[in-house]
Amino acid sequence: MHVNEQIADELALEALKLIEATGNDDIVNDIAKTIGASSTTLEESFLTAVRVRRAEARARALIEAAKARVAESDGAAQSPSS
């Protein structure tokens, strides 16, 4: 991984953890503005990393929900009927 992408991903992970703890979504924009003042390349990589991590979280939640539905239907199929 290129150093730019590595730094951007680390910052994205920290920002997303901070958003989870505080509920303040403005953190991403504040960090992006600060980064962009010095490096537009890092700013773009950071914003991309945030979008990718958020998309990953949504996909994982969808997968877990599907697994739960499968487990639930398997449990119902294996239950003895009355």
Side-chain angles (χ1 to χ4, degrees), residues 3-39:
V3 68
N4 182 57
E5 293 168 347
Q6 183 179 0
I7 292 169
D9 191 49
E10 290 171 3
L11 289 170
L13 285 170
E14 288 183 43
L16 292 170
K17 286 178 187 175
L18 193 53
I19 290 169
E20 190 175 318
T22 65
N24 183 2
D25 275 335
D26 292 337
I27 292 166
V28 169
N29 291 331
D30 293 344
I31 294 170
K33 286 179 189 176
T34 300
I35 293 170
S38 301
S39 173

Side-chain angles (χ1 to χ4, degrees), residues 38-50:
S38 301
S39 173
T40 55
T41 303
L42 183 57
E43 176 189 18
E44 291 170 14
S45 295
F46 168 72
L47 290 172
T48 298
V50 168

Side-chain angles (χ1 to χ4, degrees), residues 33-75:
K33 286 179 189 176
T34 300
I35 293 170
S38 301
S39 173
T40 55
T41 303
L42 183 57
E43 176 189 18
E44 291 170 14
S45 295
F46 168 72
L47 290 172
T48 298
V50 168
R51 286 191 300 272
V52 167
R53 291 294 183 169
R54 284 179 167 166
E56 176 193 18
R58 287 190 300 271
R60 291 190 185 280
L62 183 65
I63 289 168
E64 290 305 312
K67 285 181 181 178
R69 284 192 302 274
V70 167
E72 190 176 284
S73 66
D74 286 348

